[in-house]
């Protein structure tokens, strides 16, 4: 329990009505969670405005209500606080409510279009191997040491985030590594959080359905580095042409990593095979289990973070060379009978798909056929759909367009958008199979001995979202079962 006046210390209050010496048992931004002693924060969401539910919160005996607009009629037994931005206020109050847990460990955030999950997973595994208690917040799952906590968002809401960080502190975590999404920055989910450092992986077109324009998407990513305090580090991928923009006017100590330029942390890709990567990093040669040039960046970024946090470079590289990737990130199987390689990857953006397919092109033999199964999510950026199809056709021998997570869109309409990106010369090698399970089975039927099947888009996800319902669906499991059933 905390007093309202203490929770509000870092919040700019425009108006207050009622006593501030009020005990607060918990904080909620969903009116259905409000009961006596709960502080309700009225948030403006994409679909719902919490201000419409202030009366309900008052009736449920909320301890106080924080809002951007006061209601016409104020309940007599409820304290009202008016602020300029409810999202920012929620983050600041949640941090104060839990005793500012981000200040009690070293928290590093990773942002960018691709590579966030792999980066934080590598860092979590690395620092565990170094002997620390470590927390992780990622798209795939959250972890405190080896204990797994289910994940619902890339970056949790402010209350859940601070509650999770508080658990990490109580578990003795010295470090925590988390993904920071562009949505989280716009929605102020990390307001009040203190970061020891931040990493920028790369930026390509994504989430334009939410941000509207690419410039706004860039601004959202940049705002993370704007909030880093003096004394924190900002580790930036110098090979991304927009890297200078990210750290303009940042107070953090800016460092760079690169595969192409002389920077603070430099790597050279010696060899890239299906068995792993042969790299030279800062003069030391290592063999890593991860596959693909994009993973060379993820490994180099994780190494840079370790060194900036004071770890021994050689020890960090030795451990990194033994680590596996995150679930659903270039996750592959090889069938027993016909030695067909099946690759499952979360590639759901044009850049990610191109990276994965370029990697496959680099490691394939001339006799291997590459079959790509790809779809696009519903109620998301539709402009990337034809681009994804074009990339798949350009870098594959056969392509099967299928359903991903259609959400509330019609799957056929999504496929028709993708088909617009298929050039006339590629018609013959392209199929459209609406049912994802059947699409994977079709690819397995088409595959011959030693061929490569890429199932792109869903990666670690174990469901398919259709009309608001999540049905069980695991790409890797479905792929394995299809190969076994066909005797391949």
């Amino acid at each position: 329990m905390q007093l309202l006046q203490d929770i509000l210390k870092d919040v700019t209050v425009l108006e207050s009505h009622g006593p501030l010496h009020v005990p607060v048992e918990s904080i909620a931004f969903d009116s259905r969670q409000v009961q006596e002693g709960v502080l309700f924060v009225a948030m403006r969401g994409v679909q719902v405005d919490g201000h419409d539910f202030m009366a309900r919160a008052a009736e449920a005996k909320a301890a106080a209500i924080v809002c951007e607009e006061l209601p016409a009629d104020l309940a007599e037994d409820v304290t009202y606080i008016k602020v300029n931005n409810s999202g920012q206020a929620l983050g600041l109050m949640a941090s104060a409510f839990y005793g500012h847990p981000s200040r009690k460990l070293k928290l590093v955030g990773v942002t960018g279009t691709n590579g966030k999950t792999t980066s934080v997973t590598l860092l979590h595994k690395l620092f565990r191997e170094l002997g620390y208690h470590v927390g992780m917040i990622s798209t795939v799952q959250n972890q405190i040491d080896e204990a797994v906590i289910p994940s619902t968002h890339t970056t949790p809401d402010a209350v859940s985030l601070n509650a999770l960080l508080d658990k990490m502190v109580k578990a003795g975590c010295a470090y925590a590594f988390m993904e920071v999404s562009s949505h989280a920055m716009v929605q102020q989910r990390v307001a009040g959080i203190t970061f020891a450092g931040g990493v920028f992986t790369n930026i390509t077109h994504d989430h334009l359905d939410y941000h509207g324009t690419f410039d706004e998407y860039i601004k959202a990513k940049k705002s993370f580095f704007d909030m880093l305090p003096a004394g924190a580090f900002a580790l930036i991928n110098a090979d991304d042409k927009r890297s200078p923009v990210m750290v303009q006017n940042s107070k953090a100590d800016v460092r760079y990593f690169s595969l192409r330029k002389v920077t603070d942390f430099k790597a050279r890709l010696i060899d890239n095979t299906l068995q792993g990567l042969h790299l030279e990093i800062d003069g030391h040669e290592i063999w890593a289990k991860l596959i693909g040039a994009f993973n060379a960046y993820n490994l180099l970024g994780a190494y840079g973070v370790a060194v900036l946090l004071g770890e021994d470079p050689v020890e960090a590289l030795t451990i990194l060379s033994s680590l596996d990737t995150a679930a659903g990130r270039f996750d592959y199987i090889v069938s027993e009978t016909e030695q067909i390689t099946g690759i499952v990857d979360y590639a759901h953006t044009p850049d990610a798909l191109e990276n994965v397919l370029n990697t496959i092109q680099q490691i394939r033999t001339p006799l291997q056929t590459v079959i790509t199964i790809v779809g696009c999510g519903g109620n998301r950026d539709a402009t990337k759909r034809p681009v994804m199809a074009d990339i798949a056709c350009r870098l594959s021998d056969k392509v099967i367009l299928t359903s991903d997570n259609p959400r509330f869109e019609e799957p056929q309409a999504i496929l028709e958008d993708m088909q617009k990106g298929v050039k006339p010369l590629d018609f013959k090698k392209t199929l459209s199979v609406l049912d994802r399970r059947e699409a994977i089975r079709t690819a397995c039927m088409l595959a011959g001995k030693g061929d490569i099947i890429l199932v792109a888009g869903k990666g670690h996800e174990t469901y398919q979202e259709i009309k608001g319902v999540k049905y069980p669906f695991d790409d890797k499991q479905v792929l394995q079962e299809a190969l076994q059933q066909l005797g391949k």
Side-chain angles (χ1 to χ4, degrees):
M1 186 191 74
Q2 297 270 18
L3 292 178
L4 178 61
Q5 62 189 24
D6 295 329
I7 297 171
L8 289 170
K9 273 186 179 178
D10 296 325
V11 178
T12 301
V13 176
L14 302 180
E15 288 184 47
S16 66
H17 300 266
L20 298 181
H21 195 74
V22 177
V24 174
E25 299 290 342
S26 64
I27 303 173
F29 54 92
D30 184 336
S31 62
R32 293 168 295 184
Q33 297 175 353
V34 176
Q35 55 187 3
E36 190 171 357
V38 175
L39 168 63
F40 175 65
V41 182
M43 300 273 289
R44 298 190 192 280
V46 177
Q47 298 176 332
V48 178
D49 188 346
H51 290 77
D52 297 335
F53 300 92
M54 289 190 290
R56 180 189 291 180
E59 289 172 7
K61 298 183 179 180
I65 294 175
V66 174
C67 55
E68 295 174 12
E69 290 183 22
L70 294 168
D73 299 314
L74 304 181
E76 291 184 3
D77 54 349
V78 176
T79 296
Y80 290 85
I81 304 294
K82 183 180 179 180
V83 296
N84 184 54
N85 186 308
S86 293
Q88 182 185 53
L90 176 64
L92 295 170
M93 290 187 296
S95 181
F97 181 83
Y98 285 99
H100 302 286
S102 61
R103 299 176 186 175
K104 299 173 183 176
L105 44 65
K106 290 185 177 179
L107 176 64
V108 176
V110 180
T111 195
T113 305
N114 302 309
K116 297 187 297 296
T117 300
T118 299
S119 295
V120 298
T121 302
L122 286 172
L123 284 164
H124 180 265
K125 290 178 178 180
L126 169 59
F127 277 75
R128 285 292 290 144
E129 290 293 325
L130 286 167
Y132 297 103
H133 292 294
V134 189
M136 179 180 78
I137 300 170
S138 83
T139 304
V140 177
Q141 63 193 29
N142 303 322
Q143 277 185 244
I144 299 177
D145 289 338
E146 304 312 309
V148 175
I149 302 165
S151 173
T152 57
H153 292 80
T154 298
T155 307
D157 66 78
V159 178
S160 300
L161 174 58
N162 279 279
L164 184 54
L165 289 171
D166 184 50
K167 286 182 182 178
M168 291 176 181
V169 169
K170 289 175 178 174
C173 290
Y175 297 95
F177 304 100
M178 69 175 284
E179 295 184 49
V180 181
S181 69
S182 56
H183 291 67
M185 294 308 304
V186 173
Q187 296 168 10
Q188 300 276 352
R189 290 184 222 161
V190 294
I193 299 295
T194 300
F195 288 92
V199 180
F200 170 65
T201 58
N202 51 65
I203 191 162
T204 59
H205 285 256
D206 197 19
H207 302 306
L208 300 193
D209 55 301
Y210 180 80
H211 297 289
T213 67
F214 191 43
D215 282 345
E216 288 300 315
Y217 180 44
I218 292 172
K219 286 179 184 176
K221 293 292 188 187
K222 173 178 163 43
S223 66
F224 171 59
F225 297 98
D226 291 343
M227 72 172 287
L228 292 180
F233 66 80
L235 181 59
I236 308 298
N237 177 4
D239 293 342
D240 189 288
K241 64 182 180 181
R242 295 179 181 85
S243 59
V245 175
M246 290 295 144
V247 287
Q248 278 180 353
N249 305 316
S250 175
K251 296 185 289 291
D253 176 20
V254 179
R255 303 295 183 92
Y256 293 92
F257 65 100
S258 172
L259 265 67
R260 303 174 190 163
K261 305 171 184 175
V262 178
T263 51
D264 299 282
F265 303 101
K266 176 75 169 67
R268 181 170 65 91
L269 179 56
I270 299 171
D271 201 8
N272 178 19
T273 72
L274 194 55
Q275 286 70 47
L277 289 166
H278 186 190
L279 298 168
E280 181 186 300
I281 297 180
D282 282 356
H284 301 281
E285 285 194 29
I286 70 163
W287 181 269
K289 291 183 178 180
L290 276 65
I291 301 164
F294 57 95
N295 272 323
Y297 283 101
N298 295 329
L299 286 161
L300 182 58
Y303 165 75
V305 169
V307 173
L308 289 171
L309 289 175
E311 299 302 319
D312 178 71
V314 175
E315 187 176 8
L317 287 175
T318 302
I319 294 171
L320 283 169
S321 68
S322 69
L323 300 182
D324 296 316
T325 188
R329 270 65 177 177
F330 217 97
D331 199 353
Y332 73 96
I333 58 170
V334 180
S335 68
E336 291 183 10
T337 307
E338 297 196 6
Q339 297 296 296
I340 294 169
T341 299
I343 299 168
V344 174
D345 195 274
Y346 189 53
H348 63 286
T349 66
D351 183 63
L353 181 62
E354 188 162 13
N355 281 337
V356 171
L357 283 169
N358 275 330
T359 294
I360 292 172
Q361 289 296 334
Q362 291 163 13
I363 62 178
R364 70 180 293 191
T365 66
L367 297 177
Q368 288 178 305
T369 296
V370 177
I371 305 171
T372 296
I373 304 161
V374 64
C376 288
N379 304 109
R380 296 293 188 268
D381 181 10
T383 61
K384 68 184 181 184
R385 294 171 184 172
V387 180
M388 296 274 284
D390 178 53
I391 290 169
C393 290
R394 178 162 48 85
L395 296 171
S396 312
D397 299 301
K398 297 176 184 177
V399 175
I400 301 175
L401 305 179
T402 190
S403 177
D404 190 285
N405 288 320
R407 298 183 177 89
F408 290 96
E409 278 196 73
E410 290 301 322
Q412 185 59 45
I414 298 172
L415 254 65
E416 288 171 3
D417 283 345
M418 295 188 73
Q419 288 165 352
K420 293 173 185 175
V422 180
K423 294 180 173 64
L425 286 174
D426 295 324
F427 285 166
K428 287 185 178 180
K429 68 177 182 182
T430 306
L431 295 173
S432 290
V433 181
L434 202 58
D435 182 87
R436 191 174 182 89
R437 187 181 300 274
E438 190 57 36
I440 293 174
R441 182 177 175 82
T442 300
C444 293
M445 291 173 64
L446 293 172
K449 189 170 184 178
D451 287 345
I452 299 173
I453 299 172
L454 170 64
V455 187
K458 288 172 54 57
H460 65 282
E461 294 176 349
T462 55
Y463 61 85
Q464 191 171 25
E465 189 177 347
I466 305 170
K467 302 295 183 185
V469 179
K470 290 185 175 181
Y471 297 93
F473 198 100
D474 185 323
D475 278 352
K476 188 175 180 180
Q477 180 182 335
V478 172
L479 179 60
Q480 286 176 314
E481 290 173 353
L483 288 168
Q484 288 171 358
Q485 288 168 2
L486 292 168
K488 294 190 173 185

